Amino acid sequence: MKRSNRLVSLTNFFLENPREHRQLPYFADVYESSKSSLSEDLDIINEVFQREELGFLERTSGASGGVRYIPEFSREKSIQFIQELRRKLEDPSRILPGGYLYMSDILGDPGQTREIGRVFASAFARQPIDVIVTVATKGIALAYAVASFLDVPVVIVRRDPKVTEGSSVSINYVSGSSRKIQTMVLPKRSLKEGANVCIIDDFMKAGGTITGMINLLEEFDANVKAIGVLAEADDDEEDRVVEEYTSLVKITNVDMRRKYIEVHPGNFTDR
C-alpha cells in the first residue's frame, strides 16, 4: 500500500475507534509495513490532529507498547461552539407555553449532538470513565454522542422496569421540576459493581433527576466521576441539590410576554 493510502486508512481507523489501544505489530500485519515506516506515519497523523485541534495520538513504549487516539476539542473551539449554541437558543420562536424552550431540533440533529458530545468528551477526557449513564429522556442522543468519543457503553435509567431486562433495582426520588415523588429503575445486569460513571442529561433545573440517578448508582457502588448537562436554568439555583457538574449553557431569562430569551455560557467556560 502506498504511504498516502496508508495514511488515509490509519486516520480513518483512529477516528472510528477513539481511545482503542492497538500495538504496532497489529498495524504492521494489516498494512504489511515496517514498524519504522508506521512510526513515521503516526508522527504525521498526530501532527495533523493537533494542528486541526482534533486531539492527539497517545503512544506507549515497551513490550505492550502501541498507540491510541484521544479525541479532544481545543478549549477555544469548544467555547466557540458554545457561543454558537447560545445564539441558536436565544431565538424567540423557541418559546413554548409554560415558559419551556423547544430544543428538539438541536437534540435531533446528528451533527449538533456529535459536536456537543465532542465538547463533553474533551472536558472529561482525563477522567477514568467506564460507562455513560442517562435517564430515558431527550438526553439519550447526547449520551451516545459522548460515549462514541470516549469509547464506552451507554446505560439508560428508566421510569419503569422492562421484562426483557431481568431483575432491577429501583428507587423513589423527588422530581426537581414537579416536586412529585417518581421512580427510576436500573437493571442489575446493566452496570458492573464499582464502575466509574459519567452522567449526561439534556436539561437541569433543581437537579432532582440527577440526584435520583446518583442515589440509584450508589446501589451499584458506582463512582460518579463527572456530570454533564447541556443546559441549566438559573431560576432554581438556591434550591439546587447538585453541586459538581459541567454545563454548556445557562438559560437565565425566558420572557413569554416580550418574546425574549437570555442565554449565557454555562460553567464549562469557568473550568
Side-chain angles (χ1 to χ4, degrees), residues 45-233:
I45 294 171
N46 185 49
E47 180 183 349
V48 173
F49 278 166
Q50 293 193 51
R51 186 173 67 239
E52 297 296 320
E53 300 179 327
L54 295 174
F56 60 93
L57 295 184
E58 182 181 79
R59 298 166 72 172
T60 54
S61 57
S64 60
V67 60
R68 64 173 181 163
Y69 166 52
I70 306 297
E72 196 171 66
F73 239 6
S74 70
R75 180 171 176 79
E76 291 73 20
K77 277 195 171 185
S78 294
I79 292 176
Q80 180 182 357
F81 174 76
I82 290 171
Q83 293 291 1
E84 293 173 356
L85 185 62
R86 180 183 63 81
R87 286 190 286 271
K88 288 182 179 180
L89 290 174
E90 286 184 332
D91 181 354
S93 65
R94 292 186 177 278
I95 298 178
L96 299 173
Y100 294 98
L101 292 189
Y102 180 77
M103 297 175 61
S104 296
D105 59 329
I106 292 175
L107 296 173
D109 184 331
Q112 289 286 302
T113 54
R114 179 174 175 80
E115 293 307 291
I116 293 169
R118 191 195 299 270
V119 172
F120 276 132
S122 299
F124 307 143
R126 308 297 177 177
Q127 297 287 350
I129 294 171
D130 301 318
V131 61
I132 303 296
V133 174
T134 191
V135 71
T137 59
K138 295 177 182 178
I140 292 177
L142 298 181
Y144 276 101
V146 179
S148 68
F149 284 105
L150 295 180
D151 193 29
V152 295
V154 173
V155 169
I156 300 174
V157 175
R158 303 189 184 278
R159 308 292 184 182
D160 53 352
K162 302 292 183 181
V163 176
T164 55
E165 294 182 331
S167 58
S168 303
V169 176
S170 65
I171 66 163
N172 295 324
Y173 73 101
V174 180
S175 172
S177 55
S178 62
R179 303 297 182 185
K180 295 181 180 179
I181 301 296
Q182 300 193 40
T183 302
M184 57 174 57
V185 178
L186 190 60
K188 289 183 178 180
R189 296 185 182 185
S190 63
L191 193 64
K192 293 182 179 179
E193 185 175 336
N196 294 324
V197 170
C198 171
I199 295 175
I200 295 293
D201 205 359
D202 61 319
F203 188 77
M204 180 177 71
K205 294 191 74 175
T209 300
I210 290 178
T211 300
M213 282 192 279
I214 293 173
N215 293 336
L216 180 58
L217 291 170
E218 288 178 353
E219 299 295 323
F220 293 81
D221 292 325
N223 307 301
V224 178
K225 294 294 184 179
I227 299 173
V229 179
L230 171 59
E232 62 169 314

